[in-house]
Amino acid sequence: SSLRSLAAHPARGSHTMAIGPLARLILQGAAVFTSVFGRAFLQAYQQALVNARKGGAHSAAATAHTAVQRSNKMQLAEARQVLNVEKGELMEIDMKKLREQYERIFDANDPKKGGSFYLQSKIFRAKEALDMEIEDITKGKGGSP
């Protein structure tokens, strides 16, 4: 009976036979992938447990966070240069003057007006660095926290 159906529909029979090896290949590939992924996951999990017991997970995260903070913070010399503030001027600079200078330079570099987003971000980081430095100076002088 099966020979008659193959003879009557030869395309169906060859199609069915081709799916068998393909399915086997897919299943074997999935088994290999699962095995490799499972071992890698197990090793990573075991290493994470070891790090957690040592306190390494917390300290590693803290170190990474500190590195990111340092890389985002602009140096004061560069910040003064970007906003045209002299080194000695920072102690007695008028905050209103600094804000006006920042806004003028920031607006002049607005991408909507043909300016540069990169320069605008540098200006923003410069203001941020100077603000933090001024805050540290006022805390050191006994100013408001």
mmCIF file of all heavy atoms in Angstrom, residues 23-35:
data_model
loop_
_atom_site.group_PDB
_atom_site.id
_atom_site.type_symbol
_atom_site.label_atom_id
_atom_site.label_comp_id
_atom_site.label_asym_id
_atom_site.label_seq_id
_atom_site.Cartn_x
_atom_site.Cartn_y
_atom_site.Cartn_z
ATOM 1 N N ALA A 23 15.422 17.147 10.103
ATOM 2 C CA ALA A 23 14.951 17.201 11.486
ATOM 3 C C ALA A 23 16.001 16.650 12.431
ATOM 4 O O ALA A 23 16.242 17.197 13.504
ATOM 5 C CB ALA A 23 13.644 16.425 11.621
ATOM 6 N N ARG A 24 16.645 15.547 12.026
ATOM 7 C CA ARG A 24 17.704 14.970 12.855
ATOM 8 C C ARG A 24 18.852 15.958 13.035
ATOM 9 O O ARG A 24 19.383 16.131 14.118
ATOM 10 C CB ARG A 24 18.221 13.680 12.223
ATOM 11 C CG ARG A 24 17.696 12.430 12.892
ATOM 12 C CD ARG A 24 18.434 11.247 12.375
ATOM 13 N NE ARG A 24 18.368 11.256 10.898
ATOM 14 C CZ ARG A 24 17.873 10.277 10.174
ATOM 15 N NH1 ARG A 24 17.467 9.176 10.746
ATOM 16 N NH2 ARG A 24 17.803 10.371 8.876
ATOM 17 N N LEU A 25 19.225 16.630 11.958
ATOM 18 C CA LEU A 25 20.315 17.607 12.001
ATOM 19 C C LEU A 25 19.967 18.768 12.933
ATOM 20 O O LEU A 25 20.789 19.211 13.745
ATOM 21 C CB LEU A 25 20.598 18.124 10.584
ATOM 22 C CG LEU A 25 21.780 19.065 10.426
ATOM 23 C CD1 LEU A 25 23.073 18.347 10.804
ATOM 24 C CD2 LEU A 25 21.855 19.581 9.017
ATOM 25 N N ILE A 26 18.745 19.253 12.844
ATOM 26 C CA ILE A 26 18.299 20.352 13.708
ATOM 27 C C ILE A 26 18.297 19.914 15.164
ATOM 28 O O ILE A 26 18.767 20.643 16.050
ATOM 29 C CB ILE A 26 16.906 20.857 13.277
ATOM 30 C CG1 ILE A 26 17.022 21.568 11.927
ATOM 31 C CG2 ILE A 26 16.303 21.782 14.322
ATOM 32 C CD1 ILE A 26 15.697 21.936 11.305
ATOM 33 N N LEU A 27 17.798 18.716 15.438
ATOM 34 C CA LEU A 27 17.769 18.222 16.821
ATOM 35 C C LEU A 27 19.175 18.023 17.375
ATOM 36 O O LEU A 27 19.439 18.343 18.532
ATOM 37 C CB LEU A 27 16.971 16.920 16.907
ATOM 38 C CG LEU A 27 15.459 17.085 16.760
ATOM 39 C CD1 LEU A 27 14.783 15.713 16.722
ATOM 40 C CD2 LEU A 27 14.902 17.912 17.898
ATOM 41 N N GLN A 28 20.081 17.502 16.553
ATOM 42 C CA GLN A 28 21.459 17.328 17.007
ATOM 43 C C GLN A 28 22.109 18.683 17.288
ATOM 44 O O GLN A 28 22.821 18.851 18.277
ATOM 45 C CB GLN A 28 22.276 16.552 15.971
ATOM 46 C CG GLN A 28 21.945 15.081 15.926
ATOM 47 C CD GLN A 28 22.662 14.369 14.787
ATOM 48 O OE1 GLN A 28 23.150 14.990 13.861
ATOM 49 N NE2 GLN A 28 22.694 13.036 14.884
ATOM 50 N N GLY A 29 21.869 19.646 16.416
ATOM 51 C CA GLY A 29 22.407 20.989 16.632
ATOM 52 C C GLY A 29 21.864 21.606 17.905
ATOM 53 O O GLY A 29 22.602 22.234 18.670
ATOM 54 N N ALA A 30 20.584 21.435 18.148
ATOM 55 C CA ALA A 30 19.973 21.967 19.365
ATOM 56 C C ALA A 30 20.552 21.294 20.604
ATOM 57 O O ALA A 30 20.796 21.949 21.618
ATOM 58 C CB ALA A 30 18.460 21.785 19.316
ATOM 59 N N ALA A 31 20.807 19.993 20.521
ATOM 60 C CA ALA A 31 21.376 19.274 21.659
ATOM 61 C C ALA A 31 22.787 19.768 21.953
ATOM 62 O O ALA A 31 23.159 19.977 23.118
ATOM 63 C CB ALA A 31 21.372 17.770 21.384
ATOM 64 N N VAL A 32 23.585 19.964 20.916
ATOM 65 C CA VAL A 32 24.955 20.466 21.110
ATOM 66 C C VAL A 32 24.913 21.870 21.712
ATOM 67 O O VAL A 32 25.630 22.176 22.661
ATOM 68 C CB VAL A 32 25.734 20.448 19.775
ATOM 69 C CG1 VAL A 32 27.042 21.203 19.899
ATOM 70 C CG2 VAL A 32 25.983 19.019 19.324
ATOM 71 N N PHE A 33 24.058 22.726 21.147
ATOM 72 C CA PHE A 33 23.938 24.092 21.653
ATOM 73 C C PHE A 33 23.530 24.098 23.123
ATOM 74 O O PHE A 33 24.105 24.815 23.932
ATOM 75 C CB PHE A 33 22.914 24.873 20.821
ATOM 76 C CG PHE A 33 22.639 26.240 21.355
ATOM 77 C CD1 PHE A 33 23.537 27.274 21.127
ATOM 78 C CD2 PHE A 33 21.488 26.501 22.096
ATOM 79 C CE1 PHE A 33 23.296 28.546 21.626
ATOM 80 C CE2 PHE A 33 21.241 27.760 22.596
ATOM 81 C CZ PHE A 33 22.147 28.789 22.361
ATOM 82 N N THR A 34 22.540 23.287 23.471
ATOM 83 C CA THR A 34 22.062 23.216 24.847
ATOM 84 C C THR A 34 23.165 22.730 25.773
ATOM 85 O O THR A 34 23.341 23.264 26.873
ATOM 86 C CB THR A 34 20.830 22.297 24.939
ATOM 87 O OG1 THR A 34 19.829 22.774 24.039
ATOM 88 C CG2 THR A 34 20.278 22.250 26.343
ATOM 89 N N SER A 35 23.905 21.758 25.345
ATOM 90 C CA SER A 35 24.994 21.216 26.158
ATOM 91 C C SER A 35 26.075 22.267 26.404
ATOM 92 O O SER A 35 26.503 22.491 27.530
ATOM 93 C CB SER A 35 25.586 19.988 25.468
ATOM 94 O OG SER A 35 26.736 19.558 26.133
#
